[in-house]
């Protein structure tokens, strides 16, 4: 019985042992299968790592690189054996980017949603130089390990930097240009512009950022024309540098010319770019050129007239002398009641007027102040107001009040009192004749220092001037006549009755002979002002020789 019990016990142990062996064998098979599966997965994983075309890393929680691919070897210069399990990825990050990278690594494991999944950093190569990297990183599900993808964007960064540098240089070049340059969309909104266009229209870059439409830069009438021209250009048409009138921010206007071309994107126009030429200086130059041309023509007319006057004036004087002499003899011979006296008197008066014309012609012919002396314009005015000519003028125009406003401290000028007196007489006579009914003529003298030329008198020099002005409250001068008032024989009066057409020509010649300038201001229906500017002198006046009595010139009864 005892042996049987022992046998049963051994049999049970054998069965248990065999079962254990079978279990171990099954476990070994399963282990081998799992190892094979793991090796297969690792091979696949490694194959995937190596064939993704990008640099890949597996980063542990403690920042150690546990797995890397061939791309990382090329990127850093380190072999896989030098990296995996031995180096932390922080060793490859430039110092300036390290703090952000560590913060993101920790945040990814505490607040995954708040962490960035891609950003840029600078990687340190084994040889010490830096590369710009775009990093894409995320946690492997169910672990604290990160899988990271690294793309080398160094060349792209260089290209972007070069592009930014080119854009900066281009912007500086465009801003350096003195010509305003702009871009606008199809609706007329200004997209960009250089420094010159903001200066031309007096806007700031802040105005552009807030929205700047060309309606603020042109009048409504001009805007309609501009938009029509713009549509024509966008449709492939051309314009030949049309001229417009621009409006600055302060409301002032200036002439300009615009050259434009369409901005094409994807084979369709999206706006216009163009350049603007400010025509202000050109217009002023044209006006100055025309003024000089007119001045030259006037001078040539005066010269021709002077040549003519010098050639015929003396002969005319001889003829007029005969008319005056014989008409006076007739008046003496004819009885007071003779009806022929009226005809003789008409001959005499017409001859006197003819003599006055010849005298004006001679004044023009004898241009130049040969014997200049120190003159006070106050004295010229006072002398004129005591002449018979002035008394006659007052009798012809009793309703015209003559006002004089003379500067007591007036400086002197160099010139001819005779010519200056003739000039003043012509101006006052014209002023009085321009007044119909009651009115006022003001003769004014003053000192004036000019630091810039008068409009239209670019040749004026800086310095002290003495101004003689004659202003009236008459009918004024029509704008169409303003450019011709100094032409010889140009007059709005009835020729032969109240004027010869030479008065202002004589004034112009006298002022030019004294190196002076004329400024004329006039409004129709409100009067005119003629201001004559003469260079002042600090020289003292010499005492005028006293007039001698006629007896001193008489001989022994001769005549």
């Amino acid at each position: 019985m005892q042996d049987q019990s022992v046998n049963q016990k051994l049999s049970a142990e054998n069965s248990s042992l065999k079962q254990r062996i079978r279990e171990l064998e099954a476990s070994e098979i399963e282990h081998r299968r799992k190892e094979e599966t793991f090796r297969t997965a690792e091979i696949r994983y490694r194959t995937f790592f190596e064939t993704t075309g990008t640099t890949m890393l597996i980063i542990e929680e403690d920042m150690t690189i546990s797995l890397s691919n061939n791309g990382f070897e090329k990127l850093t210069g380190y072999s896989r054996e030098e990296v995996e399990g031995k180096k932390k990825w922080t060793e490859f990050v430039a110092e300036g980017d390290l703090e952000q990278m560590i913060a993101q690594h920790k945040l990814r494991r505490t607040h995954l949603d708040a962490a960035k999944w891609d950003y840029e950093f600078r990687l340190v190569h084994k040889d010490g130089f830096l590369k710009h990297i775009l990093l894409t990183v995320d946690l492997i599900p169910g672990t604290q390990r990160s899988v990271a993808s690294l793309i080398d964007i160094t060349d792209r960064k260089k290209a972007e930097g070069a592009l930014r540098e080119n854009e900066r240089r281009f912007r500086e070049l465009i801003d350096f240009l003195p010509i305003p340059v702009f871009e606008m969309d199809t609706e007329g909104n200004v997209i960009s512009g250089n420094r010159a266009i903001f200066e031309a229209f007096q806007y700031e870059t802040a105005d552009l950022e807030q929205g700047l439409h060309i309606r603020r830069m042109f009048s409504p009438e001009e805007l309609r024309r501009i938009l029509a021209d713009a549509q024509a250009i966008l449709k492939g048409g051309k314009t030949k540098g049309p001229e417009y009138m621009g409006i600055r921010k302060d409301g002032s206007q200036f002439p300009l010319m615009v050259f434009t071309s369409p901005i094409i994107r994807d084979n369709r126009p999206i706006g216009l770019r163009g350049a603007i030429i400010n025509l202000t200086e050109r217009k002023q130059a044209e006006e100055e050129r025309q003024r000089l041309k007119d001045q030259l023509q006037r001078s040539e007319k005066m010269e021709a007239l002077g040549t003519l006057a010098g050639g015929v004036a003396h002969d005319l004087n001889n003829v007029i002398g005969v008319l005056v002499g014989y008409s006076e003899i007739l008046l003496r011979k004819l009885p007071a009641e003779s009806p022929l006296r009226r005809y003789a008197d008409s001959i005499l008066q017409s001859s006197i007027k003819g003599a006055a014309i010849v005298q004006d012609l001679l004044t023009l012919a004898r241009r130049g102040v040969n014997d200049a002396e120190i003159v006070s314009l106050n004295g010229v005015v006072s002398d004129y107001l005591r002449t018979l000519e002035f008394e006659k003028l007052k009798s012809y125009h009793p309703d015209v009040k003559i006002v004089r406003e003379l500067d007591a401290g007036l400086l002197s000028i160099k010139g001819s009192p005779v010519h200056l007196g003739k000039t003043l007489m012509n101006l006052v006579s014209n002023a009085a004749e321009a007044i119909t009914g009651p009115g006022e003529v003001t003769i004014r003298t003053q000192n004036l220092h000019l630091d810039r030329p008068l409009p239209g008198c670019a040749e004026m020099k800086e310095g002290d001037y003495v101004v003689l002005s004659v202003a009236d409250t008459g009918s004024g001068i029509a704008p169409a006549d303003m450019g011709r008032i100094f032409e010889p024989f140009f007059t709005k009066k009835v020729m032969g009755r109240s004027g010869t057409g030479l008065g202002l020509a004589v004034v112009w010649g006298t002022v030019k002979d004294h190196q002076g300038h004329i400024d004329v201001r006039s409004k129709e229906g409100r009067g005119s002002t003629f201001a004559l500017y003469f260079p002042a002198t600090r020289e003292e006046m010499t005492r005028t020789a006293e007039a001698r009595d006629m007896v001193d010139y008489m001989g022994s009864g001769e005549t």
Side-chain angles (χ1 to χ4, degrees), residues 12-206:
E13 290 178 353
N14 287 334
S15 298
S16 176
L17 183 59
K18 289 179 181 179
Q19 180 64 30
R20 180 61 180 164
I21 291 172
R22 285 196 296 272
E23 291 177 354
L24 289 174
E25 289 176 347
S27 176
E28 178 66 20
I29 292 172
E30 180 64 19
H31 180 69
R32 289 178 180 176
R33 186 183 67 78
K34 288 182 177 181
E35 282 187 344
E36 184 64 26
T37 301
F38 181 78
R39 280 196 298 272
T40 301
E42 184 178 14
I43 291 172
R44 290 177 179 175
Y45 197 57
R46 174 68 70 176
T47 301
F48 171 75
F49 241 53
E50 299 295 346
T51 59
T52 57
T54 59
T55 300
M56 300 290 292
L57 294 176
I58 299 296
I59 302 171
E60 301 298 325
E61 185 177 5
D62 65 354
M63 304 181 191
T64 301
I65 298 175
S66 58
L67 189 64
S68 64
N69 64 0
N70 289 333
F72 193 72
E73 292 184 356
K74 297 177 183 178
L75 189 65
T76 63
Y78 289 92
S79 66
R80 191 175 304 171
E81 291 75 17
E82 293 178 286
V83 174
E84 291 181 351
K86 298 176 182 177
K87 288 186 175 293
K88 295 185 177 183
W89 65 264
T90 52
E91 299 179 41
F92 298 92
V93 180
E95 185 176 353
D97 300 331
L98 187 57
E99 183 178 351
Q100 176 192 217
M101 298 280 283
I102 294 175
Q104 288 295 322
H105 181 85
K106 293 178 179 179
L107 186 62
R108 192 170 294 108
R109 284 153 181 79
T110 56
H111 299 84
L112 180 61
D113 294 339
K116 295 180 181 179
W117 73 282
D118 66 343
Y119 47 89
E120 296 179 11
F121 76 98
R122 290 168 298 165
L123 180 142
V124 182
H125 190 270
K126 186 176 184 179
D127 294 334
F129 60 85
L130 298 179
K131 289 187 176 182
H132 291 273
I133 304 298
L134 175 62
L135 172 68
T136 303
V137 59
D138 204 354
L139 284 179
I140 298 175
T143 72
Q144 292 297 308
R145 307 167 76 192
S146 299
V147 58
S149 171
L150 293 80
I151 300 176
D152 186 354
I153 58 173
T154 303
D155 291 340
R156 190 184 81 185
K157 280 289 185 180
K158 290 180 179 179
E160 289 176 352
L163 179 61
R164 283 193 298 270
E165 178 64 15
N166 288 338
E167 289 177 348
R168 182 188 65 80
R169 290 178 178 175
F170 182 73
R171 168 55 60 182
E172 290 179 352
L173 176 61
I174 294 299
D175 279 340
F176 176 74
L177 292 176
I179 299 176
V181 177
F182 70 94
E183 288 186 342
M184 57 177 267
D185 62 21
T186 55
E187 302 300 321
N189 298 300
V190 179
I191 303 171
S192 65
N194 67 344
R195 171 185 50 80
I197 196 167
F198 289 109
E199 291 178 353
F201 286 91
Q202 297 179 346
Y203 283 102
E204 305 291 339
T205 53

Side-chain angles (χ1 to χ4, degrees), residues 218 220 234 247 280 299 392 462 471 477 528:
F218 298 92
L234 290 172
I247 300 178
T280 302
S299 298
K392 290 181 180 179
E462 178 184 354
I477 304 171
S528 306

Side-chain angles (χ1 to χ4, degrees), residues 10 13 59 63 240 285-286 313 328 450-451 476 481 485 508:
L10 291 172
E13 290 178 353
I59 302 171
M63 304 181 191
K240 298 180 179 180
E286 290 175 355
E328 287 179 342
L450 294 179
D451 56 3
D481 297 334
I485 59 176
W508 182 88

Side-chain angles (χ1 to χ4, degrees), residues 429-449:
S429 176
N430 285 347
E433 292 178 358
I435 298 173
T436 302
E440 188 174 283
V441 175
T442 302
I443 305 172
R444 181 182 292 108
T445 60
Q446 62 178 329
N447 296 320
L448 188 66
H449 179 81

